[in-house]
């Protein structure tokens, strides 16, 4: 899929598409962690930091699907350019508000606006690539290329959700916490705009008035909702893990280094996410979700009992093995089950589910950390992983029922 032949996806998308799309989604992954780190450092409260992270997620959850629906209707360029500019400006202004004498409610309002204006680059990228595959590739290659594309996109998502906190940790430790948020602002203004104006944006239907769309109620079909629930569990896991890890590191030498340790989780995750395209077809998507979700759950249980930095690092590596293939599976299922003409909306809902899960669990875990300490907070990732596994079981049940019908 990724060899530059005339029939390859890279040849159709252009060699600069993938680097631009990768960097353009990085600020989205930096938002929740950057806001958490900035508020904790400036206002000395893990609970308040968690609440602000939740505000980012709520804003994204409320307005993210609206952005996706607008892109389906009017085209990605018309939507992403203004949204990216607004989001970049808000990110640049956020450190000024947080470090000022403004009341906490003003900080919460700014965090909500940052989430509400978040550019939905990852789901937009998936929509573009699926459009290229459907429009420009032969039918006999579409299934395999789509599988490999979803694997790459999920690996890219997982990588940025690891690199994002890692960069926040590096910048916060080496310079100051506000630098990470300011950097996200610059990346948004530069790369989201470049992504929006890339020629591939013309391939996605929108704004023509001739594209048939399935009724919006089809977004509420159980087989799609179970995927949303499963990917929400991944978001819950991200938030609970990072926030409890922050509390743990605060007791072991400094919360600002939590992002550095969190990066360990991305090693196995990204590798297996990319490698999941090579799984045999007999190892179906539903069973992949269940198997790797179980690996995630096992690692999360071990995380709750880890009592040293070395032990935590080892367990994070194990948990990473479960995350990557699970995300690949969930996005692949979401792509398959998206209603006609609502691909961007579906992908945006899935992306928003990750960020809202991450944000809400950050708030809850932050409150638990302040009341029960790091040990109490480190139990919550296992609960989040349990949501992923339960959703996987529900998906298999729904799949079996659909097959019988």
């Amino acid at each position: 899929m990724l060899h530059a032949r005339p029939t390859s996806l890279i040849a159709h998308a252009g060699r600069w598409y993938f680097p631009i799309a990768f960097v353009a989604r990085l600020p989205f992954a930096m938002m929740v962690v950057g806001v958490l780190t900035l508020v904790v450092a400036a206002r000395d409260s893990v609970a308040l930091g968690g609440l602000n992270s939740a505000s980012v997620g709520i804003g994204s959850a409320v307005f993210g699907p609206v952005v996706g629906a607008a892109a389906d209707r009017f085209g990605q360029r018309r939507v992403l350019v203004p949204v990216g500019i607004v989001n970049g400006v808000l990110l640049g202004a956020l450190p000024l508000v947080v470090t000022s004498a403004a009341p906490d409610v003003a900080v919460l309002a700014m965090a909500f606006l940052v989430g509400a204006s978040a550019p939905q680059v990852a789901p937009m990228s998936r929509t573009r690539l699926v459009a290229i595959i459907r429009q420009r590739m032969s039918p006999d290659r579409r299934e395999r290329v789509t599988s490999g594309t979803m694997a790459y996109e999920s690996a890219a998502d997982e990588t940025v959700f690891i690199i994002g906190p890692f960069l926040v940790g590096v910048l916060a430790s080496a310079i100051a916490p506000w630098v990470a948020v300011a950097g996200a602002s610059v990346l948004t203004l530069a790369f989201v705009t470049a992504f929006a104006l890339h020629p591939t944006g013309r391939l996605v239907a929108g704004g023509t008035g001739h594209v048939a769309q399935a009724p919006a109620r089809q977004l509420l079909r159980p087989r799609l909702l179970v995927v949303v629930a499963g990917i929400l569990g991944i978001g819950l896991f991200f938030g609970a893990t990072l926030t409890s890890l922050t509390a743990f590191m605060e007791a072991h030498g400094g919360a600002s280094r939590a992002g550095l340790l969190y990066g360990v989780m991305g090693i196995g995750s990204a590798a297996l996410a990319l490698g999941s395209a090579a799984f045999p077809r007999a190892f179906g998507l539903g069973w992949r979700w269940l198997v790797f979700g179980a690996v995630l759950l096992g690692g999360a249980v071990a995380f709750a009992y880890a009592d040293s930095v070395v032990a935590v690092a080892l367990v994070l590596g194990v948990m990473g093995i479960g995350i990557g293939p699970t995300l690949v599976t969930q996005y692949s299922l979401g792509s398959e089950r998206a209603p006609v003409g609502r691909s961007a909306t579906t992908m945006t809902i899935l992306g928003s589910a990750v960020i809202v899960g991450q944000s809400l669990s950050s708030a809850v875990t932050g409150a638990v950390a302040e009341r029960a300490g790091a040990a109490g907070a480190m139990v919550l990732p296992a609960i989040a992983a349990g949501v992923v596994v339960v959703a996987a079981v529900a998906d298999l049940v729904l799949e079996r029922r659909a097959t019988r019908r």
Side-chain angles (χ1 to χ4, degrees):
M1 179 191 72
L2 297 180
H3 296 290
R5 301 191 306 266
T7 57
S8 72
L9 188 57
I10 282 183
H12 289 301
R15 66 178 61 187
W16 288 106
Y17 174 80
F18 290 95
I20 291 172
F22 182 85
V23 179
R25 72 184 76 193
L26 189 57
F28 190 75
M30 295 173 67
M31 285 180 190
V32 173
V33 184
V35 169
L36 173 66
T37 304
L38 175 63
V39 174
V40 170
R43 306 226 166 184
D44 195 27
S45 172
V46 176
L48 181 61
L51 284 174
N52 277 276
S53 293
S55 293
V56 174
I58 293 170
S60 178
V62 172
F63 288 96
V66 176
V67 172
D72 278 332
R73 184 172 180 82
F74 302 110
Q76 292 190 10
R77 286 187 172 185
R78 295 181 182 180
V79 174
L80 276 178
V81 171
V83 167
I85 292 173
V86 169
N87 186 251
V89 171
L90 288 172
L91 281 170
L94 183 62
L96 301 176
V97 176
V98 174
T99 56
S100 71
D104 292 344
V105 66
V107 178
L108 287 168
M110 279 291 293
F112 176 84
L113 292 174
V114 166
S117 61
Q120 306 293 326
V121 173
M124 302 288 185
S125 177
R126 284 181 172 84
T127 303
R128 290 189 190 189
L129 296 177
V130 169
I132 291 173
I133 293 168
R134 291 176 178 173
Q135 295 174 23
R136 299 189 173 183
M137 292 202 166
S138 59
D140 61 309
R141 298 189 62 220
R142 288 174 187 169
E143 182 178 352
R144 182 174 181 81
V145 176
T146 298
S147 177
T149 300
M150 290 299 107
Y152 165 77
E153 286 288 304
S154 297
D157 277 347
E158 177 58 26
T159 302
V160 298
F161 269 103
I162 297 300
I163 292 177
F166 181 80
L167 285 177
V168 171
V170 169
L171 294 173
S173 300
I175 307 177
W178 65 267
V179 176
V181 178
S185 171
V186 173
L187 290 174
T188 297
L189 291 171
F191 284 90
V192 171
T193 302
F195 175 79
L197 297 178
H198 192 274
T200 53
R202 299 173 183 169
L203 297 174
V204 183
T208 64
H210 301 297
V211 179
Q213 284 189 328
R217 64 177 179 273
Q218 289 196 17
L219 293 167
L220 301 178
R221 291 179 298 181
R223 294 183 66 212
L224 183 56
L225 289 179
V226 75
V227 179
V228 175
I231 208 164
L232 175 67
I234 292 292
L236 293 171
F237 174 82
F238 281 147
T241 301
L242 179 59
T243 307
S244 60
L245 182 61
T246 300
F248 177 84
M249 290 303 296
E250 191 173 37
H252 289 76
S256 63
R257 292 198 291 271
L260 300 176
L261 190 60
Y262 188 72
V264 173
M265 195 164 60
I267 299 173
S269 177
L272 280 177
L274 286 170
S276 62
F279 289 153
R281 295 185 63 180
F283 188 19
L285 292 176
W287 287 106
R288 294 180 200 177
W289 181 355
L290 181 60
V291 169
F292 287 102
V295 172
L296 181 64
L297 177 58
V301 171
F303 179 75
Y305 291 96
D307 57 0
S308 69
V309 175
V310 173
V312 165
L314 291 173
V315 172
L316 286 171
V318 173
M319 291 193 294
I321 294 173
I323 291 175
T326 302
L327 269 177
V328 171
T329 297
Q330 291 168 337
Y331 276 117
S332 296
L333 290 172
S335 177
E336 288 181 3
R337 299 172 185 178
V340 175
R342 297 189 180 275
S343 178
T345 306
T346 301
M347 291 301 176
T348 303
I349 290 172
L350 295 180
S352 295
V354 174
I355 201 73
V356 74
Q358 183 182 29
S359 302
L360 292 177
S361 63
S362 294
V364 173
T365 307
V368 171
E370 289 208 345
R371 295 180 182 180
M378 290 171 72
V379 175
L380 298 184
I383 297 176
V387 172
V388 177
V389 172
V390 169
V393 173
D395 179 74
L396 286 172
V397 171
L398 290 172
E399 181 68 22
R400 179 169 295 182
R401 290 179 179 176
T403 301
R404 288 176 178 174
R405 289 173 185 170

